[in-house]
Amino acid sequence: AKAAEAGLKDKFANYFKVGNILNGGTVRNSAITANILKDCNSVECENETKPDATLVQSGSTDTNIQVRDSSFAKIADWCAQNGLGFRGHTMVWHSQTPEWFFKEDFDEKKDYVSPEKMTKRMENYIKSYFETLTALYPDIDFYACDVVNEAWQNDGTPRKPGHCGQSNNYEASDWVAVYGDNSFIDYAFRYARKYAPEGCKLYYNDFNEYMGKKDAICEMAER
């Protein structure tokens, strides 16, 4: 029989993982998954592990945030069946996070909660996020996770307070609306390190890092 052609994951096996993304549709596409199996040993979900896909409003309390896996279950199952690593993306983000998560009584029509209450919610969201992943998929290597995503604007200033909805209000951040600045980042990494599986590397994720935000990111990482 003809030997299988080596993929990128094989050629770079001694250096780093090679990954790609899947979503609820592409995980069912055999041509796409075959290419991933050939070249990759890691998968990240396109949207299925973001806050709006995992947070559950019903039953959540400040100290017990409910998290569901229904959006990414097929992708996680596929990774487990085929021995691919899994990268989480992302927990603390101004975009694709429901407004109710930041408001009193989990009601988007009410006022923002205090920083102290939001910090409790953040901790318990991160705790529930990792507990859900590790309890339901014990055979997957959760080797990495993007903890905080895109917290700075291109000029290195925090985003503006407000909700990033569907009206191109991309500069707005509910996190900044609650905390007044980007101080929530320190809490996010503190709790992620506390609850992440052993060996899981934690990342700050962004784009346009070469622009003015570079210094702000470096200063954050040095703290």
Side-chain angles (χ1 to χ4, degrees), residues 8 29 33-34 37 72-73 90 101 103 110 113 122 128 137 171 174 191 199 202 210:
L8 292 174
N29 186 312
T33 54
L37 288 175
F72 63 84
T90 180
F101 184 52
K103 298 297 188 70
K110 294 190 176 182
V113 299
M122 178 203 293
S128 296
Y137 307 98
E171 292 183 348
D174 292 296
Y191 297 132
L202 305 177
Y210 67 93

Side-chain angles (χ1 to χ4, degrees), residues 47-206:
N47 289 293
E48 287 76 5
T49 50
K50 291 175 180 176
D52 60 353
T54 57
L55 282 167
V56 180
Q57 187 174 17
S58 177
S60 283
T61 68
D62 294 332
T63 56
N64 187 16
I65 300 298
Q66 300 296 305
V67 169
R68 61 173 173 260
D69 75 312
S70 55
S71 60
F72 63 84
K74 289 187 181 300
I75 299 169
D77 286 338
W78 185 83
C79 288
Q81 292 163 7
N82 292 283
L84 277 78
F86 193 94
R87 181 178 180 125
H89 177 77
T90 180
M91 292 182 288
V92 178
W93 192 23
H94 67 284
S95 180
Q96 289 182 242
T97 304
E99 191 173 6
W100 58 258
F101 184 52
F102 302 92
K103 298 297 188 70
E104 292 287 356
D105 300 321
F106 300 98
D107 184 343
E108 64 183 26
K109 295 181 176 62
K110 294 190 176 182
D111 293 337
Y112 283 105
V113 299
S114 67
E116 293 76 19
K117 184 177 288 189
M118 196 66 230
T119 300
K120 288 182 181 179
R121 291 184 181 183
M122 178 203 293
E123 176 178 5
N124 284 277
Y125 170 45
I126 291 172
K127 179 175 183 285
S128 296
Y129 185 96
F130 283 123
E131 285 181 348
T132 299
L133 288 170
T134 54
L136 294 177
Y137 307 98
D139 298 327
I140 292 182
D141 177 19
F142 295 107
Y143 73 97
C145 185
D146 296 328
V147 178
V148 179
N149 206 44
E150 302 167 5
W152 279 279
Q153 299 185 83
N154 288 335
D155 63 1
T157 59
R159 296 187 178 278
K160 298 175 182 179
H163 181 62
C164 178
Q166 301 300 317
S167 58
N168 297 320
N169 192 23
Y170 195 72
E171 292 183 348
S173 169
D174 292 296
W175 293 102
V176 176
V178 171
Y179 287 86
D181 53 26
N182 277 349
S183 58
F184 62 88
I185 296 175
D186 293 340
Y187 293 111
F189 277 96
R190 183 185 308 170
Y191 297 132
R193 177 49 59 213
K194 181 177 180 180
Y195 297 112
E198 184 177 358
C200 180
K201 294 183 178 180
L202 305 177
Y203 290 90
Y204 172 81
N205 187 64
D206 215 322

